[in-house]
Amino acid sequence: MKILVTGAAGFIGFHLVRALCDKGETVFGIDNINDYYPVSLKYARLAECGIAEREIVQGHVVKSSSFLDYRFCRIDICDKPKLDELFAREKFDVVVNLAAQAGVRYSIENPYAYIESNIVGFLNILEASRINKVKHLVYASSSSVYGGNTKTPFSETDRVDNQVSIYAATKKSNELMANVYSKLYHLPTTGLRFFTVYGPWGRPDMSPFLFMDAIFHDRPIKVFNNGNMLRDFTYIDDIIEGVTRIINVIPDNDVPASVYNIGNQTPTRLMDYIECIERATGKEAKKEFLPMQPGDVYQTYADSSALDSATGFTPNTSLQEGINKTCDWFIGFFNL
């Protein structure tokens, strides 16, 4: 099976590429390597997969030195001609679209970046998948589509028309667009609503990275809504296990479109989460308490029973275990 992973230099994409290669799949990765956060981390992830920075030239295919059946090319999903050329040449069986402009708070500052990447770019993926008869398109949605919902846990059958950020609105739009392509063209699509993913090689704009960096360097951490928030933190290995399993669960109903939550089903209070990081680092955090930020929600809480029914898997890594592993990586990566 030949699998395209978009966003292959990103946090989840990097881990997925490694997992698929370990399983013996033929994998092609693409990424535009944008500078939303330092590109040095993206190049370091690529290097871990055998893709050397010096070999990466726009549009040039690089063969991995670590995995026999992995190739990478720097391509932006918004570049329709290049994307169409790639699909026509490679004839992918499965596409996993993880390329997106991420970050809730940044979407308040720069909404146009989200429309371009998450809407226009995703449309390009849908069209290329339709034209080239991809057998299954799996794409990243987000728990943010639940917005201000107060009913918990969040279920795939809940209404999702109360988003509170442009980022969340683009992810809900992706689900609607995919459903249309499934209905009109019988393109099998599966959306995955990720719940607060964390782990080694994570994004620098997310709380584990921010908090650990601040604690180790004796800076205060910013605690929004005065710590009165809950998040369903989901460890990266659980996310990847869910994705690799769902690739093989191809929708085959009249409208072959599915959506699944992938979450740990254990919402954690922000202050308890900070205590986990303090235990892992062995240091007490200095805390700066701040009000809720625009675009944030009070809580996330996944019902992952549909994922379990479809794949036989439910995320189960405890928060302390996951934080400990993340901290170990952080210390090693930054030589602390």
Side-chain angles (χ1 to χ4, degrees):
M1 184 161 56
K2 183 184 285 190
I3 303 172
L4 171 67
V5 177
T6 74
F11 173 34
I12 300 175
F14 154 72
H15 282 279
L16 180 61
V17 165
R18 288 204 305 185
L20 292 173
C21 289
D22 286 340
K23 291 177 180 291
E25 303 289 3
T26 299
V27 183
F28 198 110
I30 65 172
D31 200 294
N32 67 354
I33 317 180
N34 69 27
D35 61 357
Y36 169 63
Y37 57 82
V39 296
S40 58
L41 179 57
K42 299 182 180 183
Y43 283 121
R45 293 182 186 130
L46 288 168
E48 281 288 304
C49 292
I51 305 296
E53 179 179 352
R54 66 180 181 277
E55 297 182 18
I56 300 172
V57 178
Q58 191 81 27
H60 174 67
V61 177
V62 182
K63 291 184 178 181
S64 169
S65 61
S66 302
F67 299 111
L68 180 63
D69 291 321
Y70 178 46
R71 292 174 295 151
F72 175 84
C73 187
R74 184 172 183 174
I75 293 176
D76 193 326
I77 62 171
C78 294
D79 188 340
K80 188 176 185 301
K82 287 287 193 299
L83 195 68
D84 288 346
E85 178 185 336
L86 175 70
F87 271 73
R89 182 180 74 242
E90 297 292 339
K91 300 298 182 185
F92 301 111
D93 299 302
V94 172
V95 174
V96 183
N97 184 56
L98 302 173
Q101 178 58 58
V104 169
R105 290 172 191 152
Y106 184 60
S107 73
I108 305 295
E109 303 170 21
N110 189 6
Y112 289 97
Y114 291 76
I115 300 303
E116 181 179 6
S117 180
N118 300 4
I119 301 298
V120 176
F122 187 60
L123 177 60
N124 292 341
I125 291 289
L126 284 167
E127 272 291 277
S129 297
R130 172 186 71 84
I131 292 168
N132 292 279
K133 302 187 186 307
V134 166
K135 296 179 177 65
H136 192 191
L137 168 60
V138 179
Y139 62 95
S141 185
S142 167
S143 63
S144 65
V145 300
Y146 291 106
N149 285 14
T150 56
K151 170 192 165 293
T152 56
F154 298 153
S155 169
E156 294 90 345
T157 58
D158 294 341
R159 290 185 62 175
V160 282
D161 55 3
N162 189 26
Q163 286 79 45
V164 296
S165 69
I166 284 293
Y167 170 73
T170 63
K171 288 300 184 180
K172 178 54 187 172
S173 297
N174 287 172
E175 295 181 5
L176 294 170
M177 294 162 71
N179 192 76
V180 168
Y181 269 71
S182 294
K183 185 171 184 176
L184 289 179
Y185 308 114
H186 215 69
L187 172 67
T189 65
T190 298
L192 300 173
R193 293 173 177 170
F194 297 137
F195 279 70
T196 316
V197 189
Y198 74 101
W201 298 95
R203 284 182 9 224
D205 63 320
M206 296 195 70
S207 59
F209 200 112
L210 291 170
F211 287 2
M212 287 178 190
D213 186 56
I215 290 170
F216 278 121
H217 293 93
D218 297 314
R219 298 193 310 269
I221 63 173
K222 295 180 178 180
V223 183
F224 294 110
N225 204 36
N226 298 305
N228 187 25
M229 290 195 292
L230 297 100
R231 288 292 181 270
D232 199 348
F233 296 99
T234 313
Y235 188 60
I236 184 63
D237 288 0
D238 288 338
I239 291 290
I240 298 306
E241 183 66 25
V243 176
T244 57
R245 291 192 184 205
I246 213 69
I247 282 173
N248 297 305
V249 181
I250 302 176
D252 62 357
N253 41 327
D254 290 341
V255 179
S258 298
V259 174
Y260 296 97
N261 291 336
I262 301 188
N264 209 40
Q265 304 187 109
T266 310
T268 301
R269 293 195 175 279
L270 184 56
M271 297 308 294
D272 294 334
Y273 166 66
I274 293 171
E275 287 181 8
C276 285
I277 295 178
E278 290 174 327
R279 282 192 289 271
T281 59
K283 299 184 68 175
E284 184 177 352
K286 300 174 184 177
K287 304 171 186 71
E288 179 184 359
F289 292 95
L290 297 167
M292 182 81 90
Q293 296 294 286
D296 272 354
V297 296
Y298 165 64
Q299 71 175 332
T300 62
Y301 181 3
D303 173 358
S304 294
S305 58
L307 177 73
D308 183 38
S309 296
T311 66
F313 174 74
T314 301
N316 54 27
T317 302
S318 72
L319 181 60
Q320 190 66 65
E321 178 187 354
I323 289 294
N324 289 346
K325 291 179 178 178
T326 305
C327 186
D328 288 345
W329 168 81
F330 192 91
I331 291 169
F333 188 77
F334 291 102
N335 296 311
L336 297 175

